[in-house]
């Protein structure tokens, strides 16, 4: 990856309809789930260009971690957040340090995802929360996953298995529900077409293809309706992504 890529991603992370609504869903979910007593100590792992850490600042002080050296250097130079370079597989923090530990669309990049989850649990305080999002369903795998160096996509059952050894799952749901059906149709159909075999780097990411004013307006409004459903603790039975929040019990 080069600096130009991270400049583009910086804007995508703050302006693309998918990120805008996903972040709204996460923040509103956490507003309902986190304790009222604040500020909290927060750890955000795999922050890319840092916008999720900026948003989490409404809950307290945020420590951010990014593994990729070039991404870390770009974000450190351009975004005013408390950021270190490090790995989710070996977090450089003491046990039971943070009230909230987050990894938004991170663990799908990691071969040893159980170790990644165990590390987040380790640095979480008793009664604290771990909140993750991941892409859902391996049959939705396409060039977007290749371009973004994903290792896997998840079912809710598979994601829950990573958290079942201790504590309790306080909420889990798929999201991007309404658009799941056209996206699933398009991705399954594309696998049957010769074009699918072409590796076009510039068009490989859904954030590039599904962009522009029309997508921004229409898809953003459709996706935004799910924020209300998740705030009502309504669990969606399918979706392009999944959300899970776990609590560390004493």
């Amino acid at each position: 990856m080069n600096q130009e890529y991270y400049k583009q991603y910086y804007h995508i992370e703050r302006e693309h309809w998918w990120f805008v609504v996903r972040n709204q869903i996460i923040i509103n979910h956490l507003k309902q789930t986190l304790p009222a007593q604040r500020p909290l100590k927060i750890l955000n792992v795999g922050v890319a260009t840092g916008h999720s850490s900026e948003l989490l600042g409404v809950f307290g002080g945020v420590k951010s971690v990014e593994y990729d050296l070039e991404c870390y250097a770009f974000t450190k130079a351009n975004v005013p957040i408390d950021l270190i370079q490090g790995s989710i597989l070996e977090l450089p923090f003491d046990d039971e340090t943070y009230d909230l530990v987050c990894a938004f669309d991170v663990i799908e990049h990691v071969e040893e995802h159980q170790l990644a989850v165990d590390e987040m649990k380790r640095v979480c305080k008793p009664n604290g929360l771990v909140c993750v999002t991941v892409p859902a369903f391996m049959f939705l795998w396409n060039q977007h996953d290749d371009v973004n160096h994903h290792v896997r996509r998840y079912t809710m059952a598979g994601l829950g298995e990573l958290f079942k050894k201790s504590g309790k799952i306080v909420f889990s749901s798929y999201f991007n529900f309404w658009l799941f059906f056209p996206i699933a149709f398009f991705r399954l159909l594309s696998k049957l077409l010769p074009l699918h075999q072409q590796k076009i780097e510039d068009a490989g990411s859904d954030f590039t293809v599904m962009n522009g004013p029309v997508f921004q307006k229409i898809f953003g409004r459709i996706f935004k309706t799910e924020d209300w459903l998740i705030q009502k603790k309504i669990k969606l039975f399918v979706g392009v992504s999944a959300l899970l929040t776990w609590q560390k019990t004493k």
Side-chain angles (χ1 to χ4, degrees), residues 10-92:
Y10 175 93
H11 293 288
I12 288 171
E13 193 176 23
R14 289 156 175 81
E15 299 167 8
H16 190 279
W17 62 269
W18 184 86
F19 275 108
V20 170
V21 180
R22 183 205 69 163
N23 290 336
Q24 178 180 315
I25 288 171
I26 291 169
I27 295 301
N28 285 337
H29 164 67
L30 289 174
K31 283 179 180 177
Q32 290 188 319
T33 310
L34 288 168
Q37 185 177 359
R38 299 168 189 169
L40 304 174
K41 287 190 66 175
I42 301 165
L43 177 65
N44 192 21
V45 187
V47 301
T49 61
H51 189 48
S52 58
S53 290
E54 294 174 323
L55 296 174
L56 288 168
V58 299
F59 303 117
V62 183
K63 188 76 171 183
S64 300
V65 178
E66 174 53 44
Y67 175 73
D68 184 274
L69 282 170
E70 291 183 344
C71 186
Y72 161 77
F74 173 86
T75 304
K76 188 75 172 178
N78 292 279
V79 185
I81 58 175
D82 182 4
L83 175 65
I84 65 167
Q85 192 276 329
S87 171
I88 194 171
L89 299 178
E90 192 175 0
L91 294 170

Side-chain angles (χ1 to χ4, degrees), residues 53-235:
S53 290
E54 294 174 323
L55 296 174
L56 288 168
V58 299
F59 303 117
V62 183
K63 188 76 171 183
S64 300
V65 178
E66 174 53 44
Y67 175 73
D68 184 274
L69 282 170
E70 291 183 344
C71 186
Y72 161 77
F74 173 86
T75 304
K76 188 75 172 178
N78 292 279
V79 185
I81 58 175
D82 182 4
L83 175 65
I84 65 167
Q85 192 276 329
S87 171
I88 194 171
L89 299 178
E90 192 175 0
L91 294 170
F93 307 109
D94 293 336
D95 295 356
E96 301 182 353
T97 300
Y98 292 97
D99 301 295
L100 172 66
V101 184
C102 300
F104 303 132
D105 293 276
V106 175
I107 64 172
E108 68 270 15
H109 298 271
V110 182
E111 288 281 358
E112 298 176 86
H113 58 168
Q114 183 65 68
L115 176 57
V117 168
D118 290 345
E119 273 291 276
M120 288 190 286
K121 289 179 174 182
R122 178 184 66 79
V123 301
C124 184
K125 291 180 181 180
N127 295 322
L129 299 176
V130 174
C131 183
V132 300
T133 60
V134 294
F137 297 112
M138 280 299 295
F139 75 84
L140 292 180
W141 189 279
N142 75 344
Q143 196 169 327
H144 173 84
D145 298 283
D146 294 330
V147 168
N148 287 280
H149 306 291
H150 293 172
V151 176
R152 69 189 69 78
R153 302 176 71 96
Y154 293 82
T155 62
M156 190 59 70
L159 182 60
E161 280 290 310
L162 298 175
F163 287 87
K164 74 174 187 178
K165 293 181 182 178
S166 60
K168 63 178 182 180
I169 295 172
V170 296
F171 182 75
S172 62
S173 175
Y174 292 107
F175 64 98
N176 208 347
F177 168 80
W178 302 114
L179 295 173
F180 168 84
F181 303 99
I183 288 172
F185 174 79
F186 175 80
R187 290 192 180 184
L188 291 171
L189 181 63
S190 71
K191 291 179 182 181
L192 303 176
L193 302 177
L195 182 62
H196 176 68
Q197 302 303 319
Q198 299 180 13
K199 296 297 182 182
I200 306 172
E201 189 75 15
D202 289 343
S205 170
D206 290 349
F207 301 134
T208 301
V209 176
M210 300 172 68
N211 203 358
V214 175
F215 287 120
Q216 193 78 10
K217 186 175 182 179
I218 297 174
F219 286 180
R221 287 183 178 180
I222 293 171
F223 190 14
K224 193 173 181 178
T225 63
E226 298 177 27
D227 182 33
W228 180 87
L229 296 172
I230 290 176
Q231 286 190 60
K232 296 295 184 183
K233 305 298 183 185
I234 297 172
K235 295 188 177 184

